[in-house]
CSV table of all heavy atoms in Angstrom, one decimal:
chain,number,residue,atom,x,y,z
A,20,MET,N,128.7,-18.8,183.2
A,20,MET,CA,129.5,-20.0,183.4
A,20,MET,C,130.8,-20.0,182.7
A,20,MET,O,131.0,-19.3,181.7
A,20,MET,CB,128.6,-21.1,182.6
A,20,MET,CG,127.3,-21.6,183.2
A,20,MET,SD,126.6,-22.9,182.3
A,20,MET,CE,124.9,-22.3,182.3
A,21,SER,N,131.8,-20.7,183.3
A,21,SER,CA,133.1,-20.7,182.7
A,21,SER,C,133.0,-21.5,181.4
A,21,SER,O,132.1,-22.3,181.2
A,21,SER,CB,134.1,-21.3,183.7
A,21,SER,OG,133.8,-22.6,183.9
A,22,GLU,N,134.1,-21.3,180.7
A,22,GLU,CA,134.2,-22.2,179.4
A,22,GLU,C,134.3,-23.6,179.7
A,22,GLU,O,133.7,-24.5,179.0
A,22,GLU,CB,135.5,-21.7,178.7
A,22,GLU,CG,135.4,-20.4,178.0
A,22,GLU,CD,134.3,-20.3,177.0
A,22,GLU,OE1,134.1,-21.4,176.1
A,22,GLU,OE2,133.6,-19.4,176.8
A,23,ASP,N,134.9,-24.0,180.9
A,23,ASP,CA,135.0,-25.4,181.3
A,23,ASP,C,133.5,-26.1,181.5
A,23,ASP,O,133.2,-27.2,181.1
A,23,ASP,CB,135.8,-25.6,182.4
A,23,ASP,CG,136.1,-27.0,182.9
A,23,ASP,OD1,136.3,-27.9,182.0
A,23,ASP,OD2,135.9,-27.3,184.1
A,24,VAL,N,132.8,-25.2,182.3
A,24,VAL,CA,131.4,-25.7,182.5
A,24,VAL,C,130.6,-25.7,181.2
A,24,VAL,O,129.8,-26.7,181.1
A,24,VAL,CB,130.7,-24.8,183.6
A,24,VAL,CG1,129.2,-25.1,183.7
A,24,VAL,CG2,131.4,-24.9,185.0
A,25,LEU,N,130.7,-24.7,180.5
A,25,LEU,CA,129.9,-24.7,179.2
A,25,LEU,C,130.2,-25.8,178.3
A,25,LEU,O,129.3,-26.4,177.7
A,25,LEU,CB,130.2,-23.3,178.4
A,25,LEU,CG,129.4,-22.2,178.9
A,25,LEU,CD1,130.0,-20.8,178.1
A,25,LEU,CD2,127.9,-22.4,178.7
A,26,SER,N,131.5,-26.3,178.3
A,26,SER,CA,131.7,-27.5,177.5
A,26,SER,C,131.2,-28.8,177.8
A,26,SER,O,131.2,-29.7,177.1
A,26,SER,CB,133.3,-27.6,177.4
A,26,SER,OG,133.9,-28.0,178.6
A,27,GLN,N,130.6,-28.9,179.1
A,27,GLN,CA,130.2,-30.0,179.7
A,27,GLN,C,128.6,-30.0,180.0
A,27,GLN,O,128.1,-30.9,180.4
A,27,GLN,CB,130.8,-30.4,180.9
A,27,GLN,CG,132.2,-30.6,180.8
A,27,GLN,CD,133.1,-30.8,182.1
A,27,GLN,OE1,132.9,-31.9,182.7
A,27,GLN,NE2,133.6,-29.8,182.7
A,28,VAL,N,128.1,-28.8,179.8
A,28,VAL,CA,126.8,-28.5,180.4
A,28,VAL,C,125.6,-29.5,180.0
A,28,VAL,O,124.7,-29.7,180.7
A,28,VAL,CB,126.4,-27.0,180.2
A,28,VAL,CG1,126.0,-26.8,178.7
A,28,VAL,CG2,125.3,-26.6,181.2
A,29,PHE,N,125.7,-30.0,178.7
A,29,PHE,CA,124.7,-30.9,178.2
A,29,PHE,C,125.0,-32.3,178.5
A,29,PHE,O,124.2,-33.2,178.0
A,29,PHE,CB,124.4,-30.7,176.7
A,29,PHE,CG,123.9,-29.3,176.4
A,29,PHE,CD1,124.6,-28.4,175.5
A,29,PHE,CD2,122.6,-29.0,176.9
A,29,PHE,CE1,123.9,-27.2,175.2
A,29,PHE,CE2,122.1,-27.7,176.5
A,29,PHE,CZ,122.7,-26.8,175.8
A,30,GLU,N,126.0,-32.7,179.2
A,30,GLU,CA,126.3,-34.1,179.4
A,30,GLU,C,125.5,-34.6,180.7
A,30,GLU,O,125.3,-33.9,181.5
A,30,GLU,CB,127.8,-34.2,179.8
A,30,GLU,CG,128.8,-33.8,178.7
A,30,GLU,CD,130.3,-34.0,179.0
A,30,GLU,OE1,130.6,-34.5,180.1
A,30,GLU,OE2,131.0,-33.5,178.3
A,31,PRO,N,124.9,-35.8,180.5
A,31,PRO,CA,124.2,-36.5,181.5
A,31,PRO,C,125.1,-36.5,182.8
A,31,PRO,O,126.1,-36.9,182.7
A,31,PRO,CB,123.8,-37.8,181.0
A,31,PRO,CG,124.0,-37.8,179.6
A,31,PRO,CD,125.1,-36.7,179.3
A,32,PHE,N,124.4,-36.2,183.8
A,32,PHE,CA,124.9,-36.3,185.3
A,32,PHE,C,126.1,-35.3,185.5
A,32,PHE,O,126.6,-35.3,186.6
A,32,PHE,CB,125.4,-37.7,185.6
A,32,PHE,CG,124.4,-38.8,185.3
A,32,PHE,CD1,124.4,-39.6,184.2
A,32,PHE,CD2,123.3,-38.8,186.2
A,32,PHE,CE1,123.4,-40.6,184.1
A,32,PHE,CE2,122.3,-39.8,186.0
A,32,PHE,CZ,122.3,-40.6,185.0
A,33,PHE,N,126.4,-34.4,184.6
A,33,PHE,CA,127.4,-33.3,184.9
A,33,PHE,C,126.6,-32.3,185.9
A,33,PHE,O,125.5,-31.9,185.5
A,33,PHE,CB,127.8,-32.6,183.7
A,33,PHE,CG,128.7,-31.4,184.0
A,33,PHE,CD1,129.9,-31.4,184.4
A,33,PHE,CD2,128.1,-30.1,183.9
A,33,PHE,CE1,130.6,-30.4,184.8
A,33,PHE,CE2,128.9,-29.0,184.3
A,33,PHE,CZ,130.2,-29.1,184.7
A,34,THR,N,127.1,-31.9,186.9
A,34,THR,CA,126.6,-30.9,187.7
A,34,THR,C,127.8,-30.2,188.4
A,34,THR,O,128.9,-30.7,188.6
A,34,THR,CB,125.7,-31.5,188.8
A,34,THR,OG1,125.0,-30.5,189.6
A,34,THR,CG2,126.5,-32.4,189.8
A,35,THR,N,127.5,-28.9,188.8
A,35,THR,CA,128.4,-28.1,189.6
A,35,THR,C,128.0,-28.1,191.1
A,35,THR,O,128.7,-27.5,191.9
A,35,THR,CB,128.5,-26.6,189.1
A,35,THR,OG1,127.2,-26.1,189.1
A,35,THR,CG2,129.0,-26.6,187.6
A,36,ARG,N,127.0,-28.8,191.4
A,36,ARG,CA,126.4,-28.9,192.8
A,36,ARG,C,127.1,-29.9,193.6
A,36,ARG,O,127.8,-30.8,193.1
A,36,ARG,CB,124.9,-29.2,192.7
A,36,ARG,CG,124.2,-28.2,192.1
A,36,ARG,CD,122.6,-28.6,192.1
A,36,ARG,NE,121.9,-27.7,191.3
A,36,ARG,CZ,120.6,-27.9,191.0
A,36,ARG,NH1,120.0,-29.0,191.3
A,36,ARG,NH2,119.9,-26.9,190.3
A,37,GLN,N,127.1,-29.7,195.0
A,37,GLN,CA,127.8,-30.7,195.8
A,37,GLN,C,127.0,-32.1,195.6
A,37,GLN,O,125.9,-32.2,195.4
A,37,GLN,CB,127.7,-30.3,197.3
A,37,GLN,CG,128.4,-28.9,197.5
A,37,GLN,CD,127.9,-28.4,198.9
A,37,GLN,OE1,127.2,-29.0,199.7
A,37,GLN,NE2,128.8,-27.4,199.3
A,38,ASN,N,127.7,-33.1,196.1
A,38,ASN,CA,127.2,-34.4,196.0
A,38,ASN,C,125.9,-34.5,196.9
A,38,ASN,O,125.8,-33.9,197.9
A,38,ASN,CB,128.1,-35.5,196.6
A,38,ASN,CG,129.2,-35.8,195.7
A,38,ASN,OD1,129.1,-35.6,194.5
A,38,ASN,ND2,130.3,-36.4,196.2
A,39,GLY,N,124.9,-35.1,196.3
A,39,GLY,CA,123.6,-35.3,197.0
A,39,GLY,C,122.7,-34.0,196.8
A,39,GLY,O,121.5,-34.0,197.2
A,40,LYS,N,123.1,-33.0,196.1
A,40,LYS,CA,122.3,-31.8,196.0
A,40,LYS,C,121.7,-31.6,194.5
A,40,LYS,O,121.3,-30.5,194.2
A,40,LYS,CB,123.1,-30.5,196.3
A,40,LYS,CG,123.6,-30.6,197.6
A,40,LYS,CD,122.6,-30.3,198.6
A,40,LYS,CE,123.2,-30.3,200.1
A,40,LYS,NZ,122.2,-30.0,201.1
A,41,GLY,N,121.8,-32.7,193.7
A,41,GLY,CA,121.2,-32.4,192.3
A,41,GLY,C,121.9,-33.6,191.5
A,41,GLY,O,123.0,-34.1,191.7
A,42,THR,N,121.2,-33.9,190.3
A,42,THR,CA,121.6,-35.1,189.4
A,42,THR,C,122.3,-34.4,188.2
A,42,THR,O,123.1,-35.2,187.6
A,42,THR,CB,120.5,-35.9,189.0
A,42,THR,OG1,119.6,-35.0,188.2
A,42,THR,CG2,119.9,-36.5,190.2
A,43,GLY,N,122.0,-33.2,187.8
A,43,GLY,CA,122.6,-32.6,186.5
A,43,GLY,C,121.9,-33.1,185.3
A,43,GLY,O,122.4,-33.0,184.2
A,44,LEU,N,120.7,-33.7,185.4
A,44,LEU,CA,119.9,-34.2,184.3
A,44,LEU,C,119.1,-33.1,183.5
A,44,LEU,O,118.8,-33.4,182.4
A,44,LEU,CB,119.0,-35.3,184.7
A,44,LEU,CG,119.7,-36.6,185.0
A,44,LEU,CD1,118.6,-37.7,185.6
A,44,LEU,CD2,120.4,-37.2,183.8
A,45,GLY,N,118.9,-32.0,184.2
A,45,GLY,CA,118.0,-30.9,183.6
A,45,GLY,C,118.4,-30.5,182.1
A,45,GLY,O,117.6,-30.7,181.2
A,46,LEU,N,119.6,-30.0,182.0
A,46,LEU,CA,119.9,-29.5,180.6
A,46,LEU,C,120.2,-30.6,179.6
A,46,LEU,O,120.1,-30.5,178.4
A,46,LEU,CB,121.2,-28.5,180.7
A,46,LEU,CG,120.8,-27.1,181.2
A,46,LEU,CD1,122.1,-26.3,181.5
A,46,LEU,CD2,119.9,-26.4,180.4
A,47,SER,N,120.6,-31.7,180.2
A,47,SER,CA,120.8,-32.9,179.3
A,47,SER,C,119.5,-33.4,178.7
A,47,SER,O,119.4,-33.7,177.6
A,47,SER,CB,121.3,-34.1,180.1
A,47,SER,OG,121.5,-35.2,179.3
A,48,GLN,N,118.4,-33.3,179.6
A,48,GLN,CA,117.1,-33.7,179.0
A,48,GLN,C,116.4,-32.8,178.0
A,48,GLN,O,115.9,-33.0,177.0
A,48,GLN,CB,116.1,-33.9,180.2
A,48,GLN,CG,116.5,-35.3,181.0
A,48,GLN,CD,115.4,-35.5,182.2
A,48,GLN,OE1,114.8,-34.6,182.5
A,48,GLN,NE2,115.3,-36.7,182.6
A,49,VAL,N,116.8,-31.4,178.4
A,49,VAL,CA,116.3,-30.3,177.4
A,49,VAL,C,117.1,-30.6,176.0
A,49,VAL,O,116.4,-30.4,175.1
A,49,VAL,CB,116.7,-28.9,177.9
A,49,VAL,CG1,116.7,-27.8,177.0
A,49,VAL,CG2,115.9,-28.6,179.2
A,50,TYR,N,118.3,-30.8,176.2
A,50,TYR,CA,119.1,-30.9,174.8
A,50,TYR,C,118.5,-32.2,174.1
A,50,TYR,O,118.2,-32.0,173.0
A,50,TYR,CB,120.5,-31.3,175.2
A,50,TYR,CG,121.4,-31.5,174.0
A,50,TYR,CD1,121.9,-30.5,173.3
A,50,TYR,CD2,121.6,-32.7,173.5
A,50,TYR,CE1,122.7,-30.6,172.2
A,50,TYR,CE2,122.6,-33.0,172.5
A,50,TYR,CZ,123.1,-31.9,171.8
A,50,TYR,OH,123.8,-32.0,170.7
A,51,GLY,N,118.2,-33.3,174.8
A,51,GLY,CA,117.8,-34.4,174.1
A,51,GLY,C,116.4,-34.2,173.5
A,51,GLY,O,116.0,-34.6,172.3
A,52,PHE,N,115.5,-33.5,174.2
A,52,PHE,CA,114.1,-33.2,173.7
A,52,PHE,C,114.2,-32.4,172.4
A,52,PHE,O,113.5,-32.5,171.5
A,52,PHE,CB,113.3,-32.5,174.8
A,52,PHE,CG,112.0,-32.0,174.4
A,52,PHE,CD1,110.9,-32.9,174.0
A,52,PHE,CD2,111.9,-30.7,174.1
A,52,PHE,CE1,109.8,-32.3,173.6
A,52,PHE,CE2,110.6,-30.2,173.7
A,52,PHE,CZ,109.6,-31.1,173.2
A,53,VAL,N,115.1,-31.2,172.5
A,53,VAL,CA,115.0,-30.3,171.4
A,53,VAL,C,115.6,-31.0,170.2
A,53,VAL,O,115.2,-30.9,169.1
A,53,VAL,CB,115.9,-29.1,171.7
A,53,VAL,CG1,116.1,-28.2,170.6
A,53,VAL,CG2,115.1,-28.3,172.9
A,54,LYS,N,116.7,-31.8,170.4
A,54,LYS,CA,117.4,-32.6,169.2
A,54,LYS,C,116.4,-33.6,168.6
A,54,LYS,O,116.3,-33.7,167.5
A,54,LYS,CB,118.7,-33.2,169.7
A,54,LYS,CG,119.8,-32.2,169.9
A,54,LYS,CD,120.1,-31.5,168.6
A,54,LYS,CE,121.3,-30.5,168.8
A,54,LYS,NZ,121.6,-29.7,167.6
A,55,GLN,N,115.7,-34.3,169.5
A,55,GLN,CA,114.8,-35.3,169.0
A,55,GLN,C,113.6,-34.6,168.2
A,55,GLN,O,113.0,-35.2,167.3
A,55,GLN,CB,114.1,-36.0,170.2
A,55,GLN,CG,113.2,-37.2,169.8
A,55,GLN,CD,112.6,-37.9,171.0
A,55,GLN,OE1,112.9,-37.5,172.2
A,55,GLN,NE2,112.0,-39.0,170.8
A,56,SER,N,113.3,-33.4,168.6
A,56,SER,CA,112.3,-32.6,167.8
A,56,SER,C,112.7,-31.9,166.6
A,56,SER,O,112.0,-31.4,165.9
A,56,SER,CB,111.7,-31.5,168.9
A,56,SER,OG,111.1,-32.1,169.9
A,57,GLY,N,114.0,-32.0,166.3
A,57,GLY,CA,114.5,-31.5,165.2
A,57,GLY,C,115.1,-30.0,165.2
A,57,GLY,O,115.2,-29.4,164.1
A,58,GLY,N,115.2,-29.6,166.4
A,58,GLY,CA,115.7,-28.1,166.5
A,58,GLY,C,117.0,-28.1,167.2
A,58,GLY,O,117.6,-29.0,167.7
A,59,PRO,N,117.6,-26.8,167.1
A,59,PRO,CA,118.9,-26.7,167.8
A,59,PRO,C,118.7,-26.0,169.2
A,59,PRO,O,117.6,-25.6,169.5
A,59,PRO,CB,119.6,-25.6,166.9
A,59,PRO,CG,118.5,-24.9,166.2
A,59,PRO,CD,117.4,-25.8,166.1
A,60,VAL,N,119.7,-26.0,170.0
A,60,VAL,CA,119.6,-25.4,171.3
A,60,VAL,C,121.1,-24.9,171.5
A,60,VAL,O,122.1,-25.4,171.1
A,60,VAL,CB,119.5,-26.5,172.5
A,60,VAL,CG1,120.3,-27.7,172.5
A,60,VAL,CG2,119.4,-25.9,173.8
A,61,SER,N,121.3,-23.8,172.1
A,61,SER,CA,122.5,-23.1,172.4
A,61,SER,C,122.4,-22.2,173.6
A,61,SER,O,121.3,-22.0,174.2
A,61,SER,CB,122.8,-22.0,171.2
A,61,SER,OG,122.0,-20.9,171.2
A,62,ILE,N,123.6,-22.0,174.2
A,62,ILE,CA,123.6,-21.2,175.5
A,62,ILE,C,124.5,-20.1,175.3
A,62,ILE,O,125.7,-20.0,174.8
A,62,ILE,CB,124.2,-22.1,176.6
A,62,ILE,CG1,123.3,-23.3,176.9
A,62,ILE,CG2,124.4,-21.3,177.8
A,62,ILE,CD1,123.7,-24.1,178.0
A,63,ASP,N,124.1,-18.9,175.8
A,63,ASP,CA,125.0,-17.7,175.9
A,63,ASP,C,125.2,-17.4,177.4
A,63,ASP,O,124.2,-17.4,178.1
A,63,ASP,CB,124.3,-16.5,175.2
A,63,ASP,CG,124.2,-16.5,173.7
A,63,ASP,OD1,125.1,-17.0,173.2
A,63,ASP,OD2,123.1,-16.1,173.2
A,64,SER,N,126.5,-17.3,177.7
A,64,SER,CA,126.7,-17.1,179.2
A,64,SER,C,127.9,-16.1,179.4
A,64,SER,O,128.8,-16.2,178.7
A,64,SER,CB,127.1,-18.4,179.8
A,64,SER,OG,127.2,-18.2,181.3
A,65,THR,N,127.6,-15.1,180.3
A,65,THR,CA,128.8,-14.2,180.7
A,65,THR,C,128.8,-14.3,182.2
A,65,THR,O,127.9,-14.0,182.9
A,65,THR,CB,128.3,-12.8,180.2
A,65,THR,OG1,128.1,-12.7,178.8
A,65,THR,CG2,129.4,-11.8,180.6
A,66,ILE,N,130.1,-14.5,182.7
A,66,ILE,CA,130.3,-14.7,184.1
A,66,ILE,C,129.8,-13.3,184.7
A,66,ILE,O,130.3,-12.2,184.2
A,66,ILE,CB,131.8,-15.0,184.3
A,66,ILE,CG1,131.9,-16.4,183.8
A,66,ILE,CG2,132.0,-14.9,185.8
A,66,ILE,CD1,133.4,-16.9,183.9
A,67,GLY,N,129.2,-13.4,185.8
A,67,GLY,CA,128.7,-12.2,186.6
A,67,GLY,C,127.5,-11.6,186.0
A,67,GLY,O,127.0,-10.6,186.5
A,68,ARG,N,127.1,-11.9,184.8
A,68,ARG,CA,126.0,-11.3,184.2
A,68,ARG,C,124.7,-12.2,184.0
A,68,ARG,O,123.6,-11.8,184.1
A,68,ARG,CB,126.3,-10.7,182.8
A,68,ARG,CG,127.2,-9.7,182.9
A,68,ARG,CD,127.1,-8.5,182.1
A,68,ARG,NE,125.7,-8.2,181.7
A,68,ARG,CZ,125.3,-7.3,180.9
A,68,ARG,NH1,126.3,-6.6,180.1
A,68,ARG,NH2,124.1,-7.1,180.6
A,69,GLY,N,125.0,-13.5,183.7
A,69,GLY,CA,123.9,-14.4,183.6
A,69,GLY,C,124.1,-15.3,182.5
A,69,GLY,O,125.1,-15.2,181.6
A,70,THR,N,123.1,-16.2,182.3
A,70,THR,CA,123.1,-17.3,181.3
A,70,THR,C,121.7,-17.3,180.6
A,70,THR,O,120.7,-17.3,181.3
A,70,THR,CB,123.4,-18.8,181.9
A,70,THR,OG1,124.7,-18.5,182.4
A,70,THR,CG2,123.4,-19.8,180.7
A,71,THR,N,121.7,-17.5,179.3
A,71,THR,CA,120.5,-17.6,178.6
A,71,THR,C,120.5,-18.9,177.7
A,71,THR,O,121.5,-19.1,177.0
A,71,THR,CB,120.2,-16.4,177.7
A,71,THR,OG1,120.1,-15.3,178.4
A,71,THR,CG2,118.9,-16.6,177.0
A,72,VAL,N,119.6,-19.7,178.0
A,72,VAL,CA,119.5,-20.9,177.0
A,72,VAL,C,118.4,-20.7,176.0
A,72,VAL,O,117.2,-20.2,176.2
A,72,VAL,CB,119.0,-22.2,177.8
A,72,VAL,CG1,118.9,-23.5,177.0
A,72,VAL,CG2,120.0,-22.5,179.0
A,73,HIS,N,118.9,-21.0,174.6
A,73,HIS,CA,117.9,-20.7,173.5
A,73,HIS,C,117.5,-22.0,173.0
A,73,HIS,O,118.3,-22.9,172.6
A,73,HIS,CB,118.7,-20.0,172.4
A,73,HIS,CG,119.3,-18.6,172.8
A,73,HIS,ND1,118.6,-17.5,172.7
A,73,HIS,CD2,120.4,-18.3,173.2
A,73,HIS,CE1,119.3,-16.5,173.2
A,73,HIS,NE2,120.5,-17.0,173.6
A,74,LEU,N,116.1,-22.2,172.8
A,74,LEU,CA,115.6,-23.4,172.3
A,74,LEU,C,114.8,-23.1,171.0
A,74,LEU,O,114.0,-22.1,171.1
A,74,LEU,CB,114.6,-24.1,173.3
A,74,LEU,CG,115.1,-24.3,174.7
A,74,LEU,CD1,113.9,-24.8,175.6
A,74,LEU,CD2,116.2,-25.3,174.8
A,75,TYR,N,115.1,-23.8,169.9
A,75,TYR,CA,114.4,-23.6,168.8
A,75,TYR,C,113.7,-24.8,168.3
A,75,TYR,O,114.3,-25.8,168.0
A,75,TYR,CB,115.3,-23.0,167.7
A,75,TYR,CG,116.0,-21.7,168.0
A,75,TYR,CD1,117.3,-21.7,168.7
A,75,TYR,CD2,115.4,-20.5,167.8
A,75,TYR,CE1,117.9,-20.6,169.0
A,75,TYR,CE2,115.9,-19.3,168.1
A,75,TYR,CZ,117.2,-19.4,168.8
A,75,TYR,OH,117.8,-18.1,169.1
A,76,LEU,N,112.3,-24.8,168.4
A,76,LEU,CA,111.7,-26.0,167.8
A,76,LEU,C,110.9,-25.7,166.5
A,76,LEU,O,110.5,-24.6,166.3
A,76,LEU,CB,110.5,-26.3,168.9
A,76,LEU,CG,111.1,-26.6,170.3
A,76,LEU,CD1,110.0,-26.7,171.2
A,76,LEU,CD2,111.9,-27.9,170.3
A,77,PRO,N,110.9,-26.7,165.7
A,77,PRO,CA,110.4,-26.6,164.4
A,77,PRO,C,108.8,-26.2,164.4
A,77,PRO,O,108.2,-26.7,165.4
A,77,PRO,CB,110.6,-27.8,163.6
A,77,PRO,CG,111.0,-28.8,164.7
A,77,PRO,CD,111.4,-28.1,165.8
A,78,ARG,N,108.4,-25.5,163.5
A,78,ARG,CA,106.9,-25.1,163.6
A,78,ARG,C,106.2,-26.3,163.1
A,78,ARG,O,106.5,-27.1,162.1
A,78,ARG,CB,106.7,-24.0,162.5
A,78,ARG,CG,105.2,-23.5,162.5
A,78,ARG,CD,105.1,-22.5,161.4
A,78,ARG,NE,105.9,-21.4,161.7
A,78,ARG,CZ,105.8,-20.3,161.0
A,78,ARG,NH1,105.0,-20.2,160.0
A,78,ARG,NH2,106.7,-19.3,161.4
A,79,ALA,N,105.1,-26.7,163.8
A,79,ALA,CA,104.2,-27.8,163.5
A,79,ALA,C,103.2,-27.4,162.4
A,79,ALA,O,102.6,-26.2,162.5
A,79,ALA,CB,103.5,-28.3,164.7
A,80,GLU,N,102.9,-28.1,161.5
A,80,GLU,CA,101.9,-28.0,160.5
A,80,GLU,C,100.6,-28.3,161.1
A,80,GLU,O,100.6,-29.3,161.9
A,80,GLU,CB,102.1,-28.8,159.2
A,80,GLU,CG,103.4,-28.3,158.4
A,80,GLU,CD,103.2,-26.9,157.9
A,80,GLU,OE1,102.2,-26.6,157.6
A,80,GLU,OE2,104.3,-26.2,157.9
A,81,PRO,N,99.5,-27.7,160.8
A,81,PRO,CA,98.2,-28.0,161.4
A,81,PRO,C,97.9,-29.5,160.9
A,81,PRO,O,98.1,-29.8,159.8
A,81,PRO,CB,97.2,-27.0,160.8
A,81,PRO,CG,98.1,-25.9,160.3
A,81,PRO,CD,99.4,-26.5,160.0
A,82,ALA,N,97.2,-30.1,161.7
A,82,ALA,CA,96.7,-31.6,161.4
A,82,ALA,C,95.7,-31.5,160.4
A,82,ALA,O,94.8,-30.6,160.4
A,82,ALA,CB,96.3,-32.3,162.7
A,83,ARG,N,95.7,-32.4,159.4
A,83,ARG,CA,94.7,-32.4,158.4
A,83,ARG,C,93.6,-33.3,158.9
A,83,ARG,O,93.9,-34.4,159.4
A,83,ARG,CB,95.3,-33.0,157.1
A,83,ARG,CG,96.2,-32.0,156.4
A,83,ARG,CD,96.6,-32.4,155.1
A,83,ARG,NE,97.5,-31.6,154.5
A,83,ARG,CZ,97.8,-31.6,153.3
A,83,ARG,NH1,97.4,-32.6,152.5
A,83,ARG,NH2,98.7,-30.6,152.7
A,84,THR,N,92.3,-32.8,158.7
A,84,THR,CA,91.2,-33.7,159.2
A,84,THR,C,90.6,-34.4,157.9
A,84,THR,O,90.5,-33.8,156.8
A,84,THR,CB,90.1,-32.8,159.8
A,84,THR,OG1,89.8,-31.9,159.0
A,84,THR,CG2,90.6,-32.3,161.1
A,85,ALA,N,90.2,-35.6,158.1
A,85,ALA,CA,89.5,-36.3,157.0
A,85,ALA,C,88.2,-35.7,156.7
A,85,ALA,O,87.4,-35.4,157.6
A,85,ALA,CB,89.4,-37.8,157.2
A,86,MET,N,87.8,-35.5,155.3
A,86,MET,CA,86.5,-34.9,155.0
A,86,MET,C,85.6,-36.1,154.9
A,86,MET,O,85.9,-37.1,154.3
A,86,MET,CB,86.5,-34.2,153.7
A,86,MET,CG,87.5,-33.0,153.8
A,86,MET,SD,87.5,-32.0,152.3
A,86,MET,CE,85.7,-31.8,151.8
A,87,LEU,N,84.5,-36.0,155.6
A,87,LEU,CA,83.4,-36.9,155.5
A,87,LEU,C,82.4,-36.7,154.5
A,87,LEU,O,82.0,-35.5,154.2
A,87,LEU,CB,82.5,-37.0,156.9
A,87,LEU,CG,83.5,-37.4,158.1
A,87,LEU,CD1,82.8,-37.4,159.3
A,87,LEU,CD2,84.2,-38.8,157.9
A,88,ARG,N,81.9,-37.6,153.7
A,88,ARG,CA,81.0,-37.4,152.5
A,88,ARG,C,79.5,-37.6,153.0
A,88,ARG,O,79.2,-38.5,153.7
A,88,ARG,CB,81.2,-38.2,151.4
A,88,ARG,CG,82.6,-37.8,150.7
A,88,ARG,CD,82.9,-38.6,149.5
A,88,ARG,NE,84.2,-38.3,149.2
A,88,ARG,CZ,84.5,-38.1,147.8
A,88,ARG,NH1,83.6,-38.2,146.9
A,88,ARG,NH2,85.8,-37.7,147.5
């Protein structure tokens, strides 16, 4: 992805597709989910080689169960 595209990739409704061929909500929703969960998200991209999206979610602690007597 170009620097211009990378700078907008998480914005809702941003897309590089033609009109009527997509909404651009995918990465925006991913970004919102990861941020709401308390983790970071980043993108590494090299033109002609590909793009990788890194999602880091916090580790969940096991649920505690009430002890019955």
Side-chain angles (χ1 to χ4, degrees):
M20 289 185 223
S21 69
E22 289 295 323
D23 183 48
V24 170
L25 279 172
S26 70
Q27 301 174 75
V28 75
F29 291 123
E30 293 179 15
F32 304 108
F33 173 76
T34 184
T35 58
R36 297 179 184 169
Q37 296 174 353
N38 286 339
K40 300 289 183 182
T42 62
L44 286 174
L46 286 175
S47 175
Q48 289 182 340
V49 167
Y50 180 83
F52 172 75
V53 173
K54 289 298 183 180
Q55 183 178 8
S56 298
V60 57
S61 65
I62 295 182
D63 292 325
S64 185
T65 303
I66 294 175
R68 296 223 28 191
T70 300
T71 303
V72 180
H73 302 272
L74 311 174
Y75 298 93
L76 300 173
R78 181 182 304 183
E80 295 294 326
R83 292 187 180 190
T84 57
M86 292 182 55
L87 303 175
R88 294 181 186 226

